[in-house]
Amino acid sequence: MPSYRSYSDSELSYLLTQDDELAFTEIYHRFYGLLFIHASKRLNNDEEAKDVVQQLFESLWLKRAQVKPDGNLSAYLYTAIRHRILDIFSHQKVENKYVDSLQRFIDQDHELSDYKIREKQMKELIEKEIDSLPPKMREIFLLSRMQNKSHKEIAEELNISELTVKTQVKRALKILRSKLGLMVYVAFLLKVNS
């Protein structure tokens, strides 16, 4: 009986699908070193490379029935190790992203209360300026910007022309812009439109 070393990759693949443990052992010895070197170069970490190759061979044994006996065994193994390495990289990316965002959250945490105070002050300032608009203009403006009603809807509701609505909204925005300053005005518009 010939030694398993003399078998071709496809013969070993076929025997593997037949639950031949000796064929599996030969595949392991034949490819372990090459796969380890490949993984180690990519991962820059021998321990991680060992784990990845070990997991690949465990998976190979568990899924031995799915191996194509006439397929290219080395290509199959290299593709499998490549996918595992890419999984590690994408997992590390996700982890790094998580750590980065956690760090940003910690960094921003102390700024948050400051921001909330500023936001509250800005909101009060905007409300005060809206309240100081002429009554009819204020009513039209609030219907337009706070209740998101169209000029047509407002015109019908208040029994006035669409042109009047458009003019009043335009004037209100002009007044608010001059009183609030550009930055607060833009922030207000973004908030209203979001």
Side-chain angles (χ1 to χ4, degrees):
M1 185 177 150
S3 149
Y4 277 80
R5 280 188 186 170
S6 64
Y7 286 141
S8 70
D9 289 354
S10 48
E11 288 171 319
L12 288 171
S13 296
Y14 171 74
L15 291 170
L16 179 66
T17 62
Q18 304 305 302
D19 304 335
D20 188 324
E21 289 182 32
L22 291 172
F24 174 76
T25 305
E26 178 55 33
I27 292 168
Y28 181 89
H29 290 302
R30 193 174 288 186
F31 289 100
Y32 181 89
L34 296 169
L35 292 170
F36 171 75
I37 290 166
H38 181 73
S40 183
K41 275 183 185 170
R42 296 283 180 277
L43 296 168
N44 288 322
N45 182 326
D46 286 354
E47 285 308 307
E48 210 167 11
K50 275 182 200 168
D51 288 347
V52 168
V53 176
Q54 203 62 46
Q55 287 163 9
L56 171 66
F57 279 107
E58 283 169 21
S59 172
L60 179 67
W61 178 253
L62 292 171
K63 296 178 181 176
R64 59 191 176 278
Q66 295 168 23
V67 174
K68 292 190 178 103
D70 54 347
N72 183 336
L73 183 62
S74 65
Y76 173 83
L77 291 171
Y78 274 102
T79 302
I81 201 82
R82 192 171 150 266
H83 285 303
R84 285 175 180 272
I85 290 166
L86 289 173
D87 282 349
I88 287 172
F89 285 149
S90 67
H91 183 68
Q92 283 173 346
K93 240 185 198 167
V94 168
E95 266 184 4
N96 290 344
K97 246 184 191 165
Y98 173 74
V99 169
D100 288 350
S101 70
L102 188 62
Q103 189 57 53
R104 277 197 303 278
F105 177 75
I106 291 165
D107 292 346
Q108 288 172 356
D109 194 36
H110 68 278
E111 295 171 19
L112 196 59
S113 54
D114 250 13
Y115 169 76
K116 283 190 170 166
I117 290 166
R118 281 197 304 275
E119 189 180 32
K120 188 171 178 267
Q121 289 170 340
M122 192 166 80
K123 191 173 178 245
E124 285 168 2
L125 178 67
I126 291 166
E127 283 170 2
K128 185 178 157 231
E129 291 306 331
I130 290 172
D131 285 345
S132 70
L133 290 171
K136 198 71 180 169
M137 186 186 286
R138 182 176 67 239
E139 185 182 10
I140 292 168
F141 183 78
L142 289 172
L143 288 170
S144 167
R145 287 300 187 258
M146 300 306 180
Q147 292 181 30
N148 292 320
K149 292 194 174 186
S150 69
H151 289 174
K152 188 178 180 186
E153 289 171 326
I154 298 167
E156 285 170 4
E157 188 176 323
L158 300 178
N159 203 19
I160 54 176
S161 75
E162 274 186 65
L163 183 63
T164 304
V165 173
K166 191 176 179 182
T167 307
Q168 291 291 317
V169 169
K170 215 173 184 179
R171 282 188 188 150
L173 287 171
K174 199 173 180 182
I175 292 167
L176 289 172
R177 185 175 174 175
S178 67
K179 287 191 175 180
L180 295 171
L182 185 60
M183 290 312 287
V184 176
Y185 172 76
V186 169
F188 161 71
L189 285 182
L190 290 174
K191 212 163 187 56
V192 164
N193 295 325
S194 60

